[in-house]
Amino acid sequence: METEVLKVDPLRPDRELVARAALVIRRGGLVAFPTETVYGLGADGLNPEAAKKLFAAKGRPQDNPFILHVASVDQAWALVDWDRARCPEGERGAARLAADLADRFWPGPLTLVLPAAPVVPREVTAGLDTVAIRMPAHEVALALIREAGCPLAGPSANASGRPSPTRAEHVLEDLGGRIDMILDAGPTGVGVESTVLDLTRHPPVILRPGGVTAEALAEVVGELRELAPGEVGEGPAPSPGTKYRHYAPRVPLLLASRLPPAGLERLLAEGKRLEQAGRRVGVLVADEEAPLIPATWVVRTVGSRSRPREVAERLFAAMRDLERQGVDVILALPYAEEGLGRAIMNRLRKASSGPL
Ligand code: TXA
Ligand code: MG
């Protein structure tokens, strides 16, 4: 199959181009589309056959469900079985809490997990009785959902296990020839995926840290719980995607366990050892460390440590870029684990093949 790439304006998408993409979706095809976080791979979220194609195109494990992307709150709530929504003890019911969260964070990088209505195919939920829903803050995504007339199942548009795509080129690199179309609206803004919040438990649980910080969520939710690194949660895996190695470049990525300056010293020592052993060394660091890296190494910076948004935005592209430079190994440094730093560290840990 030939993958058609259509360039679209990120703010005022051409209606004719959106209509062409929507037709592909309605016919059960796959269209990669931009969101504010990363590119998604869109399929008709109510069509089981289309969902099956998503697993095949990405090489995704069958037990990992998809997020349904909506363009309105009404469209979102129609996917939920409210009778099964467990009321958080006390003041607010689950419906009220979901409404408050949607009010504050949608459109935006927050995904809510709620009991699934019967209309949601089990191919989308991978057999779970819950469904993950979000309204993306991107004009192209919203226009496509509206025009297609259905919620879009939309995993990140990378091959399973690879760094998420923040540019259309990344999608083409991983999925070219396996999907019908890519809507190219330039680089995405947030750079890490949405925060996944499970509202079927009390207190609500952050299954995946992402573009909306725990601090911001707590202002609306009150008490909430975060999964510790490596924790999959009690019972059956609550967010199946969290158990796989993920976001990984094709070459080993070694992550220092300590922040600079200690982590940097370690990185420099290990890099010298690897270089002497004949390896081409790549490093993924912040602006602050870049001047201290030997000139013979390949350096990619993700911006300043004082601007985590910049780091999030550039993280995945920098990994792919280093791998393209033909390095044998990528050495990376950690970031402070607060605010967006939690999502950044979650992605780095999953991308890493071991400690430095
Ligand atoms: O920002 C994002 O969320 C991007 C853009 C394209 O919207 N999408 C994305 O989708 O990251 P994906 O499929 O790569 O990751 C979805 C995550 C996975 O960890 C999956 O296991 C979890 O959401 N998930 C989906 N449905 C779930 C459910 N019913 N219960 C728990 N976790 C669920
Ligand atoms: Mg993904």
Side-chain angles (χ1 to χ4, degrees):
M1 154 192 320
E2 188 165 345
T3 301
E4 195 177 0
V5 181
L6 303 182
K7 285 223 187 281
V8 290
D9 187 302
L11 299 175
R12 301 165 128 266
D14 185 303
R15 293 181 76 174
E16 201 192 313
L17 297 180
V18 172
R20 270 172 65 191
L23 190 61
V24 174
I25 297 282
R26 280 204 296 271
R27 289 183 175 156
L30 305 184
V31 176
F33 64 101
T35 78
E36 80 282 31
T37 57
V38 302
Y39 276 78
L41 182 59
D44 179 345
L46 302 181
N47 175 347
E49 294 309 313
K52 282 188 199 156
K53 284 194 200 167
L54 286 177
F55 286 109
K58 281 181 60 79
R60 179 162 169 129
Q62 298 281 339
D63 65 349
N64 196 1
F66 302 120
I67 295 170
L68 288 180
H69 295 69
V70 297
S72 73
V73 169
D74 287 346
Q75 191 178 27
W77 298 162
L79 302 168
V80 178
D81 180 353
W82 290 109
D83 292 339
R84 283 193 300 117
R86 206 200 303 168
C87 273
E89 296 136 41
E91 353 69 68
R92 244 183 325 188
R96 184 57 204 273
L97 178 55
D100 288 348
L101 285 164
D103 212 40
R104 167 80 184 270
F105 296 108
W106 283 357
L110 175 65
T111 295
L112 300 178
V113 174
L114 286 158
V119 60
V120 181
R122 49 181 300 117
E123 285 77 3
V124 165
T125 63
L128 298 178
D129 61 0
T130 55
V131 61
I133 311 171
R134 91 174 188 101
M135 190 192 298
H138 197 294
E139 288 310 317
V140 175
L142 294 171
L144 180 63
I145 299 162
R146 279 190 213 106
E147 186 71 22
C150 57
L152 290 190
S156 49
N158 50 283
S160 189
R162 301 266 301 136
S164 292
T166 53
R167 291 157 196 277
E169 301 90 271
H170 302 160
V171 181
L172 199 59
E173 184 174 85
D174 280 15
L175 302 178
R178 310 170 69 106
I179 62 177
D180 298 284
M181 189 181 277
I182 301 174
L183 293 178
D184 176 0
T188 61
V190 177
V192 292
E193 301 86 340
S194 61
T195 303
V196 179
L197 182 67
D198 185 352
L199 292 183
T200 68
R201 297 194 272 172
H202 184 72
V205 182
I206 297 180
L207 299 176
R208 178 178 73 180
V212 171
T213 64
E215 292 84 345
L217 283 177
E219 284 173 21
V220 176
V221 177
E223 190 191 357
L224 49 76
R225 216 167 74 74
E226 289 174 73
L227 293 185
E231 184 191 358
V232 193
E234 73 256 11
S239 193
T242 54
K243 71 179 187 229
Y244 298 105
R245 182 166 178 236
H246 239 133
Y247 315 117
R250 291 197 177 95
V251 295
L253 184 149
L254 305 178
L255 178 63
S257 54
R258 295 168 69 188
L259 292 166
L264 179 61
E265 265 175 48
R266 176 96 190 99
L267 178 145
L268 291 170
E270 187 60 14
K272 281 180 190 138
R273 196 186 67 73
L274 287 163
E275 190 177 42
Q276 272 159 18
R279 304 283 165 72
R280 187 164 155 79
V281 177
V283 294
L284 184 65
V285 292
D287 290 348
E288 288 83 348
E289 295 99 41
L292 301 165
I293 306 297
T296 49
W297 303 1
V298 183
V299 187
R300 286 296 174 273
T301 58
V302 285
S304 169
R305 285 183 177 274
S306 62
R307 292 189 294 274
R309 278 165 177 248
E310 201 170 273
V311 177
E313 186 194 327
R314 290 164 60 177
L315 186 67
F316 287 134
M319 286 182 197
R320 283 181 183 260
D321 197 13
L322 278 166
E323 122 191 325
R324 260 198 310 273
Q325 302 305 313
V327 301
D328 298 311
V329 59
I330 298 173
L331 308 180
L333 290 177
Y335 294 83
E337 258 172 288
E338 57 200 21
L340 207 47
R342 274 186 268 214
I344 293 166
M345 283 306 294
N346 172 276
R347 306 310 187 264
L348 270 172
R349 282 203 186 92
K350 292 204 169 164
S352 82
S353 46
L356 175 61

